[in-house]
Amino acid sequence: MKKGEYTKAIEIAQKFPTNAPIQSQLMTVYIKIREYENTMEIAQNFPTDVLIQSQLMMIYIKKDEYPKAIEIAKKFPINAPIQSQLMTVYIKIREYGKAMEIAQKFPTDIPIQSQLMTVYIKIREYDKALEIARKFPNNNIIQSQLMIIYKIKREYEKVISIAKKYPDN
């Protein structure tokens, strides 16, 4: 989308510079139009806001500025969405052990467990990934990961079975 399509939203949001939820939405607009510098300016004004800092992490990940993303995550060690993004960083830089350590702290968080499945798939420990899938049998994110495993293992009937159950995957 082009900036012109968001001009009115930007103008309105700029009238509320101290309102974190509105500024978070403004960051979303800036991310969509790839004006990352503007998002970074907003984030500087909200150093403790989890949602805004999470969006800043997303920008750093998109820009391959992983050390900056890691620094943000260190400030929020018990926030699952931020730790999930940190796992994304560790997966991208192939520090799988660190990603696994995070996952141990959040055994019931589905996005984090899905990330852990990604780690296990990358290191070809499919049985461990299958164990996670058994814990969340009705979650479409996990089932999507399970389809990847079955495809790798050439168990196509199981892929088809899951695809029928979750047609949006």
Side-chain angles (χ1 to χ4, degrees), residues 13 17 19 31 35 50 53 55 59-60 65 85 93 98 101 115 118-119 127 131 140 143 146 148 152 154-155 166:
N19 185 301
I31 290 168
E35 290 191 10
V50 173
Q53 293 302 305
Q55 288 178 300
I59 293 165
Y60 287 142
E65 295 180 15
Q85 287 184 310
I93 62 176
K98 289 182 179 181
E101 287 175 21
Q115 293 269 55
T118 299
V119 169
D127 290 338
E131 286 177 33
N140 63 337
Q143 295 303 305
L146 188 56
I148 293 168
I152 291 167
R154 299 177 190 249
E155 295 181 28
Y166 297 93

mmCIF file of all heavy atoms in Angstrom, residues 13 17 19 31 35 50 53 55 59-60 65 85 93 98 101 115 118-119 127 131 140 143 146 148 152 154-155 166:
data_model
loop_
_atom_site.group_PDB
_atom_site.id
_atom_site.type_symbol
_atom_site.label_atom_id
_atom_site.label_comp_id
_atom_site.label_asym_id
_atom_site.label_seq_id
_atom_site.Cartn_x
_atom_site.Cartn_y
_atom_site.Cartn_z
ATOM 1 N N ALA A 13 -3.337 9.942 14.176
ATOM 2 C CA ALA A 13 -2.487 9.336 15.201
ATOM 3 C C ALA A 13 -1.432 10.316 15.714
ATOM 4 O O ALA A 13 -1.084 10.285 16.899
ATOM 5 C CB ALA A 13 -1.829 8.075 14.661
ATOM 6 N N PRO A 17 0.455 11.893 20.594
ATOM 7 C CA PRO A 17 1.823 11.355 20.696
ATOM 8 C C PRO A 17 2.140 10.619 21.990
ATOM 9 O O PRO A 17 3.117 9.871 22.046
ATOM 10 C CB PRO A 17 2.704 12.590 20.555
ATOM 11 C CG PRO A 17 1.837 13.717 21.020
ATOM 12 C CD PRO A 17 0.448 13.350 20.600
ATOM 13 N N ASN A 19 -0.176 8.603 23.585
ATOM 14 C CA ASN A 19 -1.094 7.484 23.719
ATOM 15 C C ASN A 19 -0.467 6.236 23.086
ATOM 16 O O ASN A 19 -0.402 6.108 21.864
ATOM 17 C CB ASN A 19 -2.420 7.836 23.040
ATOM 18 C CG ASN A 19 -3.474 6.776 23.236
ATOM 19 O OD1 ASN A 19 -3.281 5.629 22.843
ATOM 20 N ND2 ASN A 19 -4.575 7.157 23.836
ATOM 21 N N ILE A 31 5.079 0.539 9.365
ATOM 22 C CA ILE A 31 5.679 -0.733 8.950
ATOM 23 C C ILE A 31 5.123 -1.139 7.582
ATOM 24 O O ILE A 31 5.872 -1.558 6.695
ATOM 25 C CB ILE A 31 5.442 -1.835 10.010
ATOM 26 C CG1 ILE A 31 6.280 -1.537 11.258
ATOM 27 C CG2 ILE A 31 5.768 -3.220 9.444
ATOM 28 C CD1 ILE A 31 5.925 -2.376 12.468
ATOM 29 N N GLU A 35 8.258 2.709 6.387
ATOM 30 C CA GLU A 35 8.910 3.892 6.940
ATOM 31 C C GLU A 35 9.428 3.541 8.331
ATOM 32 O O GLU A 35 8.904 3.986 9.355
ATOM 33 C CB GLU A 35 7.953 5.083 6.962
ATOM 34 C CG GLU A 35 7.641 5.601 5.580
ATOM 35 C CD GLU A 35 6.918 6.933 5.578
ATOM 36 O OE1 GLU A 35 6.811 7.581 6.648
ATOM 37 O OE2 GLU A 35 6.453 7.314 4.500
ATOM 38 N N VAL A 50 5.333 -3.014 25.945
ATOM 39 C CA VAL A 50 5.618 -4.318 25.358
ATOM 40 C C VAL A 50 5.205 -4.384 23.887
ATOM 41 O O VAL A 50 5.974 -4.861 23.040
ATOM 42 C CB VAL A 50 4.932 -5.446 26.158
ATOM 43 C CG1 VAL A 50 5.088 -6.778 25.471
ATOM 44 C CG2 VAL A 50 5.486 -5.511 27.561
ATOM 45 N N GLN A 53 7.547 -2.205 21.751
ATOM 46 C CA GLN A 53 8.883 -2.794 21.666
ATOM 47 C C GLN A 53 8.874 -4.076 20.827
ATOM 48 O O GLN A 53 9.832 -4.373 20.119
ATOM 49 C CB GLN A 53 9.443 -3.042 23.069
ATOM 50 C CG GLN A 53 9.727 -1.761 23.839
ATOM 51 C CD GLN A 53 10.704 -0.843 23.125
ATOM 52 O OE1 GLN A 53 11.801 -1.247 22.776
ATOM 53 N NE2 GLN A 53 10.302 0.401 22.902
ATOM 54 N N GLN A 55 6.956 -4.548 18.245
ATOM 55 C CA GLN A 55 6.954 -4.094 16.855
ATOM 56 C C GLN A 55 8.343 -3.632 16.428
ATOM 57 O O GLN A 55 8.762 -3.872 15.299
ATOM 58 C CB GLN A 55 5.937 -2.973 16.661
ATOM 59 C CG GLN A 55 4.511 -3.473 16.714
ATOM 60 C CD GLN A 55 3.517 -2.363 16.582
ATOM 61 O OE1 GLN A 55 3.483 -1.447 17.395
ATOM 62 N NE2 GLN A 55 2.698 -2.432 15.553
ATOM 63 N N ILE A 59 10.844 -5.017 13.310
ATOM 64 C CA ILE A 59 11.584 -4.217 12.325
ATOM 65 C C ILE A 59 13.051 -4.638 12.293
ATOM 66 O O ILE A 59 13.630 -4.831 11.219
ATOM 67 C CB ILE A 59 11.454 -2.718 12.631
ATOM 68 C CG1 ILE A 59 10.013 -2.273 12.407
ATOM 69 C CG2 ILE A 59 12.416 -1.891 11.771
ATOM 70 C CD1 ILE A 59 9.692 -0.932 13.002
ATOM 71 N N TYR A 60 13.640 -4.777 13.470
ATOM 72 C CA TYR A 60 15.045 -5.185 13.517
ATOM 73 C C TYR A 60 15.242 -6.562 12.882
ATOM 74 O O TYR A 60 16.237 -6.804 12.205
ATOM 75 C CB TYR A 60 15.565 -5.189 14.955
ATOM 76 C CG TYR A 60 15.776 -3.807 15.527
ATOM 77 C CD1 TYR A 60 15.481 -3.536 16.853
ATOM 78 C CD2 TYR A 60 16.292 -2.771 14.763
ATOM 79 C CE1 TYR A 60 15.693 -2.273 17.397
ATOM 80 C CE2 TYR A 60 16.497 -1.507 15.291
ATOM 81 C CZ TYR A 60 16.194 -1.259 16.613
ATOM 82 O OH TYR A 60 16.403 -0.018 17.132
ATOM 83 N N GLU A 65 18.935 -6.926 11.788
ATOM 84 C CA GLU A 65 19.690 -6.283 12.869
ATOM 85 C C GLU A 65 19.409 -7.057 14.160
ATOM 86 O O GLU A 65 18.792 -6.562 15.092
ATOM 87 C CB GLU A 65 19.303 -4.807 12.984
ATOM 88 C CG GLU A 65 19.687 -4.001 11.753
ATOM 89 C CD GLU A 65 19.317 -2.528 11.850
ATOM 90 O OE1 GLU A 65 19.023 -2.029 12.964
ATOM 91 O OE2 GLU A 65 19.326 -1.868 10.794
ATOM 92 N N GLN A 85 9.525 -13.950 19.378
ATOM 93 C CA GLN A 85 10.303 -13.226 18.368
ATOM 94 C C GLN A 85 11.799 -13.469 18.563
ATOM 95 O O GLN A 85 12.548 -13.583 17.591
ATOM 96 C CB GLN A 85 9.999 -11.738 18.407
ATOM 97 C CG GLN A 85 8.640 -11.407 17.832
ATOM 98 C CD GLN A 85 8.404 -9.922 17.801
ATOM 99 O OE1 GLN A 85 8.588 -9.229 18.789
ATOM 100 N NE2 GLN A 85 7.994 -9.432 16.655
ATOM 101 N N ILE A 93 19.677 -17.180 13.070
ATOM 102 C CA ILE A 93 21.143 -17.195 13.190
ATOM 103 C C ILE A 93 21.662 -18.576 13.606
ATOM 104 O O ILE A 93 22.823 -18.727 13.962
ATOM 105 C CB ILE A 93 21.650 -16.085 14.139
ATOM 106 C CG1 ILE A 93 21.130 -16.248 15.561
ATOM 107 C CG2 ILE A 93 21.310 -14.713 13.566
ATOM 108 C CD1 ILE A 93 21.683 -15.229 16.554
ATOM 109 N N LYS A 98 19.755 -21.946 22.113
ATOM 110 C CA LYS A 98 19.156 -20.803 22.806
ATOM 111 C C LYS A 98 17.649 -20.752 22.569
ATOM 112 O O LYS A 98 16.881 -20.417 23.478
ATOM 113 C CB LYS A 98 19.820 -19.503 22.363
ATOM 114 C CG LYS A 98 21.237 -19.369 22.881
ATOM 115 C CD LYS A 98 21.855 -18.049 22.467
ATOM 116 C CE LYS A 98 23.273 -17.922 23.018
ATOM 117 N NZ LYS A 98 23.891 -16.642 22.652
ATOM 118 N N GLU A 101 16.078 -23.265 24.858
ATOM 119 C CA GLU A 101 16.031 -22.791 26.251
ATOM 120 C C GLU A 101 14.811 -21.914 26.486
ATOM 121 O O GLU A 101 14.151 -22.024 27.527
ATOM 122 C CB GLU A 101 17.305 -22.002 26.580
ATOM 123 C CG GLU A 101 18.545 -22.857 26.732
ATOM 124 C CD GLU A 101 19.799 -22.018 26.944
ATOM 125 O OE1 GLU A 101 19.689 -20.840 27.357
ATOM 126 O OE2 GLU A 101 20.912 -22.550 26.696
ATOM 127 N N GLN A 115 7.435 -22.674 17.254
ATOM 128 C CA GLN A 115 8.819 -22.311 16.941
ATOM 129 C C GLN A 115 9.763 -23.456 17.308
ATOM 130 O O GLN A 115 10.713 -23.748 16.583
ATOM 131 C CB GLN A 115 9.225 -21.054 17.724
ATOM 132 C CG GLN A 115 8.496 -19.800 17.314
ATOM 133 C CD GLN A 115 9.243 -19.061 16.238
ATOM 134 O OE1 GLN A 115 9.556 -19.623 15.196
ATOM 135 N NE2 GLN A 115 9.537 -17.811 16.485
ATOM 136 N N THR A 118 9.780 -25.935 14.744
ATOM 137 C CA THR A 118 10.633 -25.481 13.635
ATOM 138 C C THR A 118 12.089 -25.837 13.900
ATOM 139 O O THR A 118 12.796 -26.318 13.002
ATOM 140 C CB THR A 118 10.487 -23.959 13.418
ATOM 141 O OG1 THR A 118 9.128 -23.668 13.078
ATOM 142 C CG2 THR A 118 11.417 -23.451 12.329
ATOM 143 N N VAL A 119 12.531 -25.615 15.126
ATOM 144 C CA VAL A 119 13.911 -25.969 15.489
ATOM 145 C C VAL A 119 14.130 -27.459 15.279
ATOM 146 O O VAL A 119 15.107 -27.873 14.636
ATOM 147 C CB VAL A 119 14.235 -25.582 16.953
ATOM 148 C CG1 VAL A 119 15.565 -26.185 17.399
ATOM 149 C CG2 VAL A 119 14.242 -24.070 17.115
ATOM 150 N N ASP A 127 10.966 -36.795 15.761
ATOM 151 C CA ASP A 127 10.208 -37.415 16.847
ATOM 152 C C ASP A 127 9.905 -36.419 17.953
ATOM 153 O O ASP A 127 8.813 -36.431 18.534
ATOM 154 C CB ASP A 127 10.943 -38.635 17.399
ATOM 155 C CG ASP A 127 10.963 -39.795 16.405
ATOM 156 O OD1 ASP A 127 10.092 -39.821 15.505
ATOM 157 O OD2 ASP A 127 11.833 -40.665 16.528
ATOM 158 N N GLU A 131 6.219 -35.079 19.263
ATOM 159 C CA GLU A 131 5.775 -35.031 20.665
ATOM 160 C C GLU A 131 5.033 -33.720 20.949
ATOM 161 O O GLU A 131 4.012 -33.714 21.645
ATOM 162 C CB GLU A 131 6.970 -35.146 21.610
ATOM 163 C CG GLU A 131 7.566 -36.525 21.720
ATOM 164 C CD GLU A 131 8.790 -36.538 22.621
ATOM 165 O OE1 GLU A 131 8.830 -35.759 23.596
ATOM 166 O OE2 GLU A 131 9.712 -37.334 22.346
ATOM 167 N N ASN A 140 -4.356 -25.419 14.619
ATOM 168 C CA ASN A 140 -4.017 -25.417 13.195
ATOM 169 C C ASN A 140 -2.570 -24.994 12.924
ATOM 170 O O ASN A 140 -1.965 -25.450 11.955
ATOM 171 C CB ASN A 140 -4.998 -24.565 12.392
ATOM 172 C CG ASN A 140 -4.973 -23.107 12.778
ATOM 173 O OD1 ASN A 140 -4.566 -22.740 13.874
ATOM 174 N ND2 ASN A 140 -5.424 -22.261 11.874
ATOM 175 N N GLN A 143 -0.637 -28.107 13.618
ATOM 176 C CA GLN A 143 -0.957 -29.098 12.589
ATOM 177 C C GLN A 143 -0.274 -28.754 11.262
ATOM 178 O O GLN A 143 0.128 -29.645 10.513
ATOM 179 C CB GLN A 143 -2.471 -29.235 12.413
ATOM 180 C CG GLN A 143 -3.174 -29.800 13.639
ATOM 181 C CD GLN A 143 -2.631 -31.150 14.056
ATOM 182 O OE1 GLN A 143 -2.588 -32.086 13.263
ATOM 183 N NE2 GLN A 143 -2.206 -31.268 15.306
ATOM 184 N N LEU A 146 3.056 -30.049 11.588
ATOM 185 C CA LEU A 146 2.990 -31.504 11.495
ATOM 186 C C LEU A 146 2.939 -31.954 10.034
ATOM 187 O O LEU A 146 3.565 -32.943 9.656
ATOM 188 C CB LEU A 146 1.759 -32.014 12.260
ATOM 189 C CG LEU A 146 1.600 -33.503 12.444
ATOM 190 C CD1 LEU A 146 2.822 -34.105 13.116
ATOM 191 C CD2 LEU A 146 0.346 -33.793 13.262
ATOM 192 N N ILE A 148 4.388 -30.521 7.586
ATOM 193 C CA ILE A 148 5.758 -30.410 7.075
ATOM 194 C C ILE A 148 6.550 -31.672 7.419
ATOM 195 O O ILE A 148 7.266 -32.225 6.580
ATOM 196 C CB ILE A 148 6.447 -29.146 7.633
ATOM 197 C CG1 ILE A 148 5.773 -27.895 7.083
ATOM 198 C CG2 ILE A 148 7.946 -29.148 7.323
ATOM 199 C CD1 ILE A 148 6.180 -26.603 7.795
ATOM 200 N N ILE A 152 8.154 -34.358 4.808
ATOM 201 C CA ILE A 152 9.573 -34.736 4.818
ATOM 202 C C ILE A 152 9.728 -36.253 4.924
ATOM 203 O O ILE A 152 10.565 -36.851 4.254
ATOM 204 C CB ILE A 152 10.319 -34.029 5.970
ATOM 205 C CG1 ILE A 152 10.407 -32.524 5.695
ATOM 206 C CG2 ILE A 152 11.713 -34.618 6.185
ATOM 207 C CD1 ILE A 152 10.835 -31.699 6.900
ATOM 208 N N ARG A 154 7.714 -38.372 3.902
ATOM 209 C CA ARG A 154 7.004 -38.966 2.776
ATOM 210 C C ARG A 154 5.774 -39.762 3.211
ATOM 211 O O ARG A 154 5.414 -40.775 2.609
ATOM 212 C CB ARG A 154 7.937 -39.831 1.934
ATOM 213 C CG ARG A 154 9.090 -39.044 1.351
ATOM 214 C CD ARG A 154 10.050 -39.925 0.587
ATOM 215 N NE ARG A 154 11.241 -39.176 0.254
ATOM 216 C CZ ARG A 154 11.575 -38.803 -0.972
ATOM 217 N NH1 ARG A 154 10.793 -39.093 -1.972
ATOM 218 N NH2 ARG A 154 12.685 -38.137 -1.178
ATOM 219 N N GLU A 155 5.128 -39.290 4.238
ATOM 220 C CA GLU A 155 3.891 -39.915 4.716
ATOM 221 C C GLU A 155 2.728 -39.052 4.205
ATOM 222 O O GLU A 155 2.065 -38.342 4.955
ATOM 223 C CB GLU A 155 3.903 -40.016 6.245
ATOM 224 C CG GLU A 155 4.992 -40.950 6.754
ATOM 225 C CD GLU A 155 5.004 -41.089 8.271
ATOM 226 O OE1 GLU A 155 3.935 -40.934 8.907
ATOM 227 O OE2 GLU A 155 6.089 -41.361 8.814
ATOM 228 N N TYR A 166 -7.869 -29.336 8.211
ATOM 229 C CA TYR A 166 -7.528 -27.919 8.319
ATOM 230 C C TYR A 166 -7.299 -27.369 6.920
ATOM 231 O O TYR A 166 -6.144 -27.141 6.514
ATOM 232 C CB TYR A 166 -6.283 -27.736 9.176
ATOM 233 C CG TYR A 166 -6.441 -28.197 10.608
ATOM 234 C CD1 TYR A 166 -6.070 -29.491 10.980
ATOM 235 C CD2 TYR A 166 -6.982 -27.343 11.560
ATOM 236 C CE1 TYR A 166 -6.245 -29.915 12.298
ATOM 237 C CE2 TYR A 166 -7.148 -27.774 12.869
ATOM 238 C CZ TYR A 166 -6.781 -29.055 13.221
ATOM 239 O OH TYR A 166 -6.940 -29.470 14.510
#
